[in-house]
Amino acid sequence: MLVQQILKSKGYEGVFTIKPGTLTSDAAKLLTEKKIGGLVVSRDGKSVDGILSERDIVRTLAARGGTCLTETIDGIMTENPVCCARSDRSDAVLTRMTEGRFRHMPVVEDGVLVGIVTIGDVVKARLQELSMEKDALQGMIMGH
Ligand code: AMP
C-alpha cells in the first residue's frame, strides 16, 4: 500500500502544526486537546521545520523540570525530521520508523507538507494488506 492510500483512508483533516517560538505548555495543551502524540513545527503551515513529540516534552521535563513549560519548543523539537512522499510504500515507511525509533512521519510533496502518517496508520495498512493476501491465497488453494 502507498502512503497516498493511507492518507485517503484516514480522511483528510489536514495536519496539526505549531509555529517555532510556541511555549511548551501551549504545545502540551494542543497535543492533549487534539488527542495526538506529535505536532509538525512549521512557520507557515507548508514547510517542515521540525517535529515535536510528547516524548520530547516528557524527556525535557525529566531532565530539566517544570520550568521548560514556560520556555519555547525550539530547543526541544527535532529539527529536519525524516519525511516521506505520497508515493512511498507503507512497508518502507514502517522500516524507516522502526530503525529511527520514531512514530510520526510528515508527508511532503515539492517541499510542502501534505499530511502525516503515524506508526499506527502504517501498521493498520500493513495488517489489511496481509489479510487481503491471505484471503487471495486461500481462494487460490480452495480453487475459488
Ligand atoms: P515519536 O516516537 O514519533 O513520538 O518521537 C520520538 C522521537 O523522535 C522524538 O524525539 C521526536 O521528536 C523524534 N521524531 C519524531 N518523528 C520524527 C521523524 N519523522 N524524523 C525524525 N525524528 C522524529
Side-chain angles (χ1 to χ4, degrees), residues 37-39 50-57 59 76-84 97 100-106 116-117 119:
L39 289 160
I51 195 154
L52 181 81
S53 155
E54 56 196 354
R55 284 193 184 170
D56 297 320
I57 299 178
R59 275 190 211 135
I76 298 180
M77 70 176 195
T78 302
E79 285 179 41
N80 302 317
V82 179
C83 298
C84 62
M97 284 177 163
R101 293 175 183 270
F102 48 76
R103 300 166 296 175
H104 300 86
M105 214 189 269
I116 190 162
V117 285
I119 202 159

Side-chain angles (χ1 to χ4, degrees), residues 8-134:
K8 215 171 156 192
S9 71
K10 274 168 59 147
Y12 188 72
E13 286 175 27
V15 188
F16 295 115
T17 62
I18 44 166
K19 288 189 193 320
T22 303
L23 288 181
T24 305
S25 57
D26 289 334
K29 273 184 214 150
L30 191 60
L31 287 167
T32 307
E33 269 170 34
K34 302 298 179 195
K35 299 187 172 74
I36 53 174
L39 289 160
V40 174
V41 183
S42 174
R43 280 161 287 166
D44 53 7
K46 293 180 187 164
S47 63
V48 178
D49 301 310
I51 195 154
L52 181 81
S53 155
E54 56 196 354
R55 284 193 184 170
D56 297 320
I57 299 178
V58 170
R59 275 190 211 135
T60 313
L61 274 172
R64 304 215 316 257
T67 52
C68 71
L69 291 171
T70 55
E71 295 165 12
T72 70
I73 57 159
D74 300 20
I76 298 180
M77 70 176 195
T78 302
E79 285 179 41
N80 302 317
V82 179
C83 298
C84 62
R86 281 182 167 133
S87 55
D88 284 342
R89 287 172 51 102
S90 60
D91 49 359
V93 169
L94 188 55
T95 303
R96 265 186 278 168
M97 284 177 163
T98 309
E99 286 174 358
R101 293 175 183 270
F102 48 76
R103 300 166 296 175
H104 300 86
M105 214 189 269
V107 186
V108 169
E109 193 168 76
D110 298 328
V112 174
L113 175 69
V114 293
I116 190 162
V117 285
T118 69
I119 202 159
D121 299 329
V122 182
V123 167
K124 189 176 161 200
R126 196 74 193 109
L127 287 175
Q128 273 172 3
E129 230 170 23
L130 290 171
S131 166
M132 285 188 301
E133 277 171 25
K134 188 201 94 185

